[in-house]
Amino acid sequence: MKATRVFQLTALALVVVAAVQVGWWLYDQHAYTVEKVLAARGAYREQTAAAQALLDAGVSPQRVGQLLPAIVVRDGRAALAPQVEQTLTSEERHRYNQYAWEGSFFLLALALCIAVIARALRAETRVREEQESFLALVSHQFKTPLASLQLSLETLALRTPPPQTARTLIERMLADLARMELMVTQILESARLERGRVELRPEAVPLAAAVARVLAPLEERARQERIVLSSDIAAALCVQSDPLALDMVLRNVLENALAAVQAAGGGRIEVQARAANGEVQLSVRDTGVGFAPADGARLFTRFTRLHGSGGGHYGTGLGLFIVRRMMELAHGRVSAHSDGVGQGARVELAWPEASAASAALQGSTT
Amino acid sequence: MSPPGAPHVLVVEDDPHLAAGVMENLRAEGYQVSTAADGAQALGWLSGHACELIVLDVMLPGMDGFSVCRALREQGNTTPVLFLTARGDPADRVRGLEAGGDDYLAKPFHLQEFLLRVRAIVRRWDWYRSASATAATAVLRFGGNEVDFRAFRARAWNGEAQELTEKEAMILKVLAEHAGEIVSREDLLERVWGYDVFPSTRTVDNFILRLRKRFEQDPANPRHFLTVWGVGYRFLGEGEP
């Protein structure tokens, strides 16, 4: 990596030096031509003056023409022969054209090289910075559950807590471990998504059944946290999506809604869907903690956690990033809206619509 | 249950497990503990309550810990702050101290080290407050300067009003308690910072320079804050003849 960078920087320096040399060569050649042309014109002016002196001394024009072939005599006055003047001018122009074309070509080629190398260097720097920032963020995300785990263990080691407290500490540690495990899974998943190594196999999937599958395991937790879950989706609505990707998207969005409502001390989550303009639109509304309207887009970037985990929410900051990338790969859309902190939130998802008939066909063939 | 009059600690941490763990351990050590899940909540609590120490997480949702600490200092709140952070690099540590923090602990931390640091900060703060408790010890007068240790304010010899930082006041307090005696840089570090928060004793030198600028008529030729080469400093209330 370092050797490549040194090589790139050396190449860039060489190309820049070459460009400067070509520029200098152009300037030098131009100055040389100007000097030569001036010298030639000076010599011809001297010949013309000599011819005139001969004519004034009574030498015949024929004799002057023999002695100085570049000079013509018209009406007793000596002048440079038109063909000589023309040759001189044309030679001058030829030289200038040659330098202009050759110089431009070389300079253009070198400028292109500089642009290509500089672009590669910039891209490499950006990738390195992204990697470093990703690593810093990942390590930061891990340190909090690690600190909590270490604190619980050291509390057990330092004190002799009663069984009930010990159980609480053990449950806390198990939750910290589960959180780290989820983070590892999500980090690997997001890395695969970033590298484009996820191959989706879209097919017609009934949305109501997919939502019901995700909601079922969440119902017990919702009941405990005083959260009312409701889903109103027509059984015939089908989306064109990879079933596993759809499951992951729904799970992340619904888990997020659950955490937001849990942080608000309970409330409602409503899931609704409708078909419109060739797509199926799903809306997940919650009465949770919400967020500032301007933060809607930021939610889908990596490691963004807008509100704290005051309600026991252990977000990794990767869930909605995965949702966005999955939806992009599925040719769908996702957006999040809220009227402000404490005002609840709404996540809108849209997939290409698939016909129920093709879903039934797929169901019968599997 | 913490005994009445026990030191009060505010824990500002958005991770509920960590907040609960810290709270339980501090309570077990006899402290009264309150918690806040973000910066706004902490500032709200502090506007109506006082405490002996704030344990402040750096990466908080919304307003980060450094901003919370800066906001407190701007309001004139001098309560000691112990930063807890997932970043442990020196640059971040310096940022925390520049923001007005007193100590800095990187996550994950050892429980006993954490408790030791909390105890040391509270003890230093206790010493400072008890040493400034009476009318006689609350105000220091020297060379036309007047320092109010309780209000962290001073009036310099030229009549200029001065706002002292907590560390400046503490250094001045230590020196004034040992007026005429030599106090080593290490002693000052131990009494005022208590830990290896700063990398070198140069920090003490910088604070002494600041005190000279504030209170000496000619900081280049000090009469009150004298350097004892290779050892430390000597404070003379009456000034060197």
Side-chain angles (χ1 to χ4, degrees):
Chain A
M1 190 79 173
K2 198 176 174 184
T4 313
R5 194 165 178 81
V6 168
F7 175 75
Q8 284 172 328
L9 285 170
T10 310
L12 184 65
L14 285 175
V15 176
V16 169
V17 169
V20 171
Q21 276 186 328
V22 169
W24 173 252
W25 173 77
L26 273 176
Y27 170 76
D28 193 47
Q29 288 300 311
H30 178 265
Y32 179 74
T33 306
V34 167
E35 190 188 322
K36 285 288 167 198
V37 167
L38 284 176
R41 286 192 188 283
Y44 283 130
R45 259 198 312 278
E46 281 171 13
Q47 282 191 28
T48 309
Q52 190 61 50
L54 288 172
L55 287 171
D56 293 345
V59 178
S60 70
Q62 288 79 14
R63 183 68 186 137
V64 169
Q66 282 169 353
L67 287 170
L68 301 162
I71 304 298
V72 291
V73 179
R74 282 196 207 103
D75 305 327
R77 306 295 307 165
L80 192 62
Q83 69 274 20
V84 174
E85 172 67 45
Q86 205 180 346
T87 309
L88 200 62
T89 311
S90 122
E91 182 65 16
E92 189 182 358
R93 196 174 299 134
H94 168 71
R95 292 273 169 186
Y96 286 152
N97 281 342
Q98 187 187 353
Y99 301 146
W101 282 105
E102 284 180 8
S104 303
F105 173 76
F106 283 126
L107 282 178
L108 197 71
L110 289 169
L112 205 67
C113 287
I114 291 172
V116 168
I117 297 173
R119 200 182 154 88
L121 278 168
R122 263 202 312 275
E124 200 184 301
T125 306
R126 199 173 52 243
V127 167
R128 203 177 53 248
E129 281 171 1
E130 276 174 8
Q131 279 174 344
E132 280 168 7
S133 124
F134 179 75
L135 279 176
L137 282 166
V138 165
S139 61
H140 171 257
Q141 295 290 316
F142 269 97
K143 278 184 179 176
T144 299
L146 262 180
S148 172
L149 194 59
Q150 182 169 338
L151 186 59
S152 301
L153 278 167
E154 288 190 11
T155 305
L156 281 173
L158 184 72
R159 311 181 194 285
T160 5
Q164 188 54 41
T165 312
R167 170 139 294 280
T168 308
L169 286 170
I170 289 167
E171 277 167 8
R172 209 177 276 167
M173 287 190 282
L174 288 172
D176 287 331
L177 280 172
R179 181 182 175 191
M180 284 192 274
E181 191 192 342
L182 174 69
M183 280 169 68
V184 170
T185 309
Q186 290 196 330
I187 285 165
L188 291 175
E189 196 57 54
S190 70
R192 280 176 60 216
L193 281 165
E194 278 288 88
R195 292 189 197 125
R197 286 191 185 164
V198 174
E199 235 180 80
L200 298 184
R201 294 196 178 85
E203 58 183 66
V205 187
L207 187 60
V211 170
R213 261 197 307 276
V214 176
L215 281 179
L218 300 178
E219 274 167 1
E220 179 53 33
R221 191 172 130 205
R223 231 188 329 273
Q224 283 173 1
E225 301 291 340
R226 299 185 305 279
I227 299 169
V228 178
L229 294 176
S230 69
S231 171
D232 180 15
I233 303 171
L237 272 184
C238 286
V239 297
Q240 188 68 21
S241 172
D242 180 298
L244 291 177
L246 178 67
D247 185 78
M248 191 182 285
V249 164
L250 292 173
R251 196 172 299 281
N252 272 305
V253 169
L254 289 167
E255 287 260 12
N256 227 48
L258 204 66
V261 179
Q262 195 178 334
R268 281 189 328 278
I269 298 173
E270 290 168 5
V271 186
Q272 288 174 328
R274 67 188 183 110
N277 307 322
E279 58 181 24
V280 174
Q281 295 164 355
L282 182 86
S283 157
V284 179
R285 281 174 191 275
D286 68 62
T287 57
V289 288
F291 50 87
D295 287 332
R298 211 155 65 81
L299 273 172
F300 295 97
T301 54
R302 272 194 301 204
F303 298 119
T304 299
R305 289 198 299 146
L306 298 180
H307 42 77
S309 34
H313 170 39
Y314 293 99
T316 60
L318 284 168
L320 286 180
F321 166 75
I322 291 173
V323 167
R324 177 174 65 88
R325 291 290 294 134
M326 282 290 186
M327 290 305 282
E328 282 169 2
L329 290 172
H331 306 291
R333 290 181 285 112
V334 61
S335 58
H337 314 268
S338 173
D339 292 333
V341 176
Q343 304 291 309
R346 193 179 81 249
V347 175
E348 301 276 1
L349 299 134
W351 295 265
E353 187 182 9
S355 71
S358 56
L361 192 66
Q362 267 159 7
S364 66
T365 53
T366 51
Chain B
M1 192 69 188
S2 312
H8 200 144
V9 180
L10 172 66
V11 177
V12 190
E13 169 63 63
D14 68 321
D15 184 273
H17 281 183
L18 204 53
V22 167
M23 184 179 73
E24 287 157 8
N25 276 290
L26 287 173
R27 280 196 179 143
E29 294 293 313
Y31 298 98
Q32 297 180 66
V33 187
S34 298
T35 55
D38 58 46
Q41 217 177 317
L43 288 175
W45 188 89
L46 284 161
S47 64
H49 303 81
C51 59
E52 275 68 34
L53 171 67
I54 305 166
V55 176
L56 186 55
D57 183 25
V58 174
M59 295 285 277
L60 290 168
M63 193 179 193
D64 70 28
F66 294 147
S67 308
V68 173
C69 189
R70 265 192 295 271
L72 279 177
R73 298 300 183 239
E74 278 162 19
Q75 289 166 13
N77 188 324
T78 52
T79 311
V81 168
L82 165 61
F83 280 117
L84 288 185
T85 177
R87 294 183 193 159
D89 54 293
D92 216 43
R93 182 173 281 241
V94 169
R95 269 187 72 202
L97 296 167
E98 278 174 356
D102 293 74
D103 206 346
Y104 197 98
L105 202 53
K107 292 178 191 173
F109 51 84
H110 289 289
L111 175 59
Q112 280 176 309
E113 185 187 358
F114 167 74
L115 294 172
L116 207 64
R117 285 186 186 236
V118 167
R119 204 175 304 140
I121 296 175
V122 170
R123 199 180 54 225
R124 281 200 302 277
W125 196 235
D126 265 358
W127 156 75
Y128 181 81
R129 284 205 302 201
S130 59
S132 315
T134 65
T137 54
V139 177
L140 172 70
R141 291 185 183 85
F142 65 99
N145 299 289
E146 191 175 292
V147 179
D148 182 342
F149 285 112
R150 283 188 291 205
F152 292 89
R153 287 206 185 94
R155 191 175 41 75
W157 56 274
N158 54 4
E160 203 178 306
Q162 305 268 357
E163 294 276 344
L164 294 180
T165 67
E166 174 208 338
K167 294 284 179 244
E168 286 170 346
M170 280 186 162
I171 287 179
L172 193 49
K173 191 78 201 166
V174 175
L175 289 172
E177 277 187 347
H178 299 86
E181 297 169 23
I182 297 171
V183 182
S184 72
R185 290 178 177 83
E186 289 75 18
D187 280 348
L188 280 169
L189 264 185
E190 174 59 29
R191 292 289 299 276
V192 176
W193 281 273
Y195 266 92
D196 55 340
V197 177
F198 283 90
S200 81
T201 48
R202 287 289 305 160
T203 309
V204 176
D205 299 343
N206 291 334
F207 271 92
I208 295 290
L209 284 179
R210 276 155 66 173
L211 289 174
R212 281 179 184 156
K213 272 188 194 161
R214 287 185 188 279
F215 301 118
E216 294 281 5
Q217 293 193 25
D218 179 7
N221 296 296
R223 295 180 65 234
H224 303 287
F225 300 92
L226 307 178
T227 303
V228 181
W229 294 108
V231 185
Y233 293 97
R234 180 193 288 140
F235 174 74
L236 294 178
E238 291 309 309
E240 199 174 43

